[in-house]
Amino acid sequence: AMASLAEKRLFLLDMDGTLYLDDFLFDKVPEFLSLIRRQGGRYLFLTNNSSRGVEGYMEKLARMGIPSGPEDYLTSVDAAIDHLRRFCYVSGTASLKAQLAGAGVPITDALSDDIAVLLSGFDTELTFQKLEDSCILLNRGVPWLATNPDWVCPTWYGSVPDCGSVCEMLTRATGRKPRFLGKPQPEMVHLALRRTGFDPRQAVIIGDRLYTDVACGVNAGIDSIFVLSGEG
């Protein structure tokens, strides 16, 4: 049975399309966040977007009047770092590469014979060269991880292709399918519960996508709230 909202203490919040759209903060977000804190709760920003690091999010929220620290975030890159210890070709942004390198993952963006794994992220710096390299690696049989299965990333003018759409392109080209690491896989929620010590009944995930945010809650065994402000 669903726990009542009054019992919730850990709020796992999607960002893009849930708290804001581009640089437009939705009404009452600051009030909502301070209410959670006042009631002795905790919120974590959960994002599948691997194109910018936590610092980028902290700056963005600060511009909107919401202070935050690194401890307030969990990203699909955190989930990926748990899996990656081998030499990895990264098809993603400079920010994604910096996050992985900073966590000690051996990475490259140049094709070579000793690459052990391919990681695809949401890549706002995508080139045909990266697609070609990815196809070569996939045809070699290299294991394939991807940060998130989202089809689109919402913007003020509509949507752009996200990681899931680019992976679909590669799947059509090679017949290979990636192992996705972000929502809806339950790892990010498990990581959040481990870090904060809350009980699953006290946790709720809030987001604008049924197939990532809500499905993540279902897969992790916690309650979900669906908002209609972004992709939904």
Side-chain angles (χ1 to χ4, degrees), residues 33-143:
L33 295 177
S34 63
L35 178 68
I36 292 171
R37 288 255 165 104
R38 276 209 308 281
Q39 294 182 335
R42 175 89 194 269
Y43 53 81
L44 284 176
F45 302 118
L46 248 62
T47 178
N48 264 1
N49 186 345
S50 64
S51 72
R52 60 157 47 158
V54 164
E55 293 74 18
Y57 279 112
M58 285 167 56
E59 283 162 23
K60 181 170 183 135
L61 285 183
R63 283 200 305 275
M64 296 176 176
I66 297 174
S68 62
E71 68 287 350
D72 297 324
Y73 296 84
L74 264 184
T75 73
S76 57
V77 183
D78 292 318
I81 287 163
D82 267 357
H83 284 268
L84 290 170
R85 288 290 169 257
R86 293 167 302 158
F87 192 44
C88 178
Y89 180 99
V90 181
S91 180
T93 56
S95 166
L96 171 58
K97 288 175 211 157
Q99 291 171 71
L100 293 167
V105 177
I107 61 163
T108 183
D109 51 15
L111 206 55
S112 70
D113 287 337
D114 48 354
I115 291 164
V117 60
L118 167 67
L119 176 69
S120 302
F122 171 44
D123 194 358
T124 52
E125 300 154 20
L126 185 64
T127 61
F128 197 83
Q129 182 70 59
K130 292 181 188 177
L131 292 174
E132 189 172 68
D133 289 351
S134 297
C135 286
I136 291 168
L137 291 169
L138 292 174
N139 289 333
R140 268 188 211 167
V142 164

Side-chain angles (χ1 to χ4, degrees), residues 150-163:
D150 306 56
W151 296 116
V152 295
C153 185
T155 71
W156 62 270
Y157 54 80
S159 295
V160 293
D162 205 327
C163 182

Side-chain angles (χ1 to χ4, degrees), residues 179-226:
R179 172 171 179 185
F180 289 112
L181 296 168
K183 301 172 286 188
Q185 300 305 323
E187 280 104 333
M188 282 166 75
V189 171
H190 294 158
L191 210 50
L193 292 168
R194 276 210 310 276
R195 276 195 194 175
T196 61
F198 285 101
D199 184 84
R201 276 185 68 80
Q202 297 177 293
V204 64
I205 188 167
I206 305 179
D208 64 310
R209 286 189 170 102
L210 284 171
Y211 66 94
T212 56
D213 303 313
V214 173
C216 181
V218 171
N219 291 338
I222 67 167
D223 292 325
S224 333
I225 292 173
F226 182 52

